[in-house]
Amino acid sequence: MCFSVALTRETIKRDSRFSHLLDEMDQTPGSRISGFSFPGLPLLTDGVNAKARLAHWGLIPSWVKDDGQAKRIRSGTLNARWETVELKPSFRDSWPFKRCLLAVEGFYEPHVEGGIKSTWFVRRKDRGLLYLGGIYEENGPEALGFPTFTFSILTLEARDLLAEVHNEKMRMPLVLKEEKTPNWLDKQGAIPDADDLSWCLDQSVLTASEFRKGASSSLWTQGELF
């Protein structure tokens, strides 16, 4: 599963699609952002050249009517299984036509070896952005007490490098090929199939390293494991 991502202020400031949101974000982007803090992050919904919009992680379905119900649901909607997204009540109004992209510098996944759990950081070898496929929802007035624009990151069965990283539950976020991102955001285009891996980024461009809290302030100085 994908519950933490990396996105720094430097990345946001240098990309015109995101930079206008810096003053609106409710927390300072940093090297590790937890979904369980339900952060507001720049989300692309209307085309790769359009301006990003601020959305909060943890999808709140359109049928939620009060803040208490929203709080109970959103911890379980940080991720959505691509294989079953159309069947779940929380996601059925969002899939397939409310597709979105979250651009990140990397993401964090759990790893188990010899009964010992650790956290690994996954990024591109060239330090470029990764585009995570997701779904979003917009609902009720803000007076209801919860964010009105929210999203979930889609996951699928882990394979290749990410199967070695997330080797216990064997899940990975949907990381899209950059050339497929316009198709993903095209609401009138073909509906993607979870079995069609041609949408997914070739993992040979990725690298993974063990994340040691406090070991370094940089995203890029961890020791490589692969």
Side-chain angles (χ1 to χ4, degrees):
M1 311 300 279
C2 182
F3 296 133
S4 298
V5 299
L7 183 63
T8 61
R9 292 184 65 86
E10 288 69 25
T11 295
I12 294 174
K13 286 191 292 187
R14 71 173 181 251
D15 192 317
S16 61
R17 296 176 299 172
F18 308 144
S19 56
H20 64 290
L21 292 175
L22 271 175
D23 293 336
E24 298 181 40
M25 297 180 71
D26 56 8
Q27 71 173 51
T28 302
S31 61
R32 188 175 185 183
I33 302 172
S34 170
F36 290 103
S37 66
F38 311 115
L41 296 171
L43 202 70
L44 297 169
T45 62
D46 299 316
V48 292
N49 295 319
K51 294 284 188 180
R53 300 170 59 193
L54 189 70
H56 287 263
W57 197 352
L59 189 145
I60 300 174
S62 58
W63 41 263
V64 168
K65 301 304 181 186
D66 61 73
D67 186 48
Q69 190 180 25
K71 288 178 179 177
R72 289 192 297 272
I73 287 175
R74 64 191 311 195
S75 292
T77 59
L78 297 175
N79 293 165
R81 286 178 174 256
W82 195 8
E83 302 93 332
T84 60
V85 63
E86 63 187 46
L87 304 176
K88 302 298 183 180
S90 295
F91 305 129
R92 63 189 176 200
D93 292 336
S94 298
W95 180 262
F97 299 112
K98 296 179 181 178
R99 301 195 295 268
C100 60
L101 288 173
L102 178 66
V104 299
E105 294 173 49
F107 55 90
Y108 298 83
E109 295 287 1
H111 177 73
V112 179
E113 187 170 352
I116 299 174
K117 293 186 177 182
S118 59
T119 299
W120 289 5
F121 179 60
V122 181
R123 62 166 174 86
R124 289 183 63 109
K125 293 175 181 176
D126 63 7
R127 304 183 184 183
L129 288 175
L130 295 171
Y131 294 92
L132 307 185
I135 52 175
Y136 68 91
E137 187 55 84
E138 295 184 84
N139 51 22
E142 292 187 23
L144 291 174
F146 55 82
T148 60
F149 186 35
T150 57
F151 72 95
S152 177
I153 292 175
L154 288 164
T155 69
L156 63 160
E157 185 177 355
R159 61 185 182 87
D160 302 331
L161 171 65
L162 292 179
E164 298 183 54
V165 174
H166 198 168
N167 60 344
E168 188 173 41
K169 293 189 176 180
M170 299 291 286
R171 301 296 294 175
M172 68 180 188
L174 171 59
V175 187
L176 291 159
K177 292 179 179 176
E178 189 165 359
E179 61 268 26
K180 284 288 190 178
T181 55
N183 306 83
W184 183 259
L185 295 177
D186 181 4
K187 307 305 187 291
Q188 305 304 317
I191 297 175
D193 190 313
D195 294 326
D196 185 0
L197 298 180
S198 68
W199 289 82
C200 299
L201 183 70
D202 183 344
Q203 292 187 34
S204 66
V205 306
L206 299 178
T207 184
S209 58
E210 185 176 4
F211 177 76
R212 299 179 180 88
K213 187 175 180 180
S216 172
S217 60
S218 170
L219 291 176
W220 316 122
T221 59
Q222 314 296 330
E224 301 298 336
L225 296 183
F226 289 99

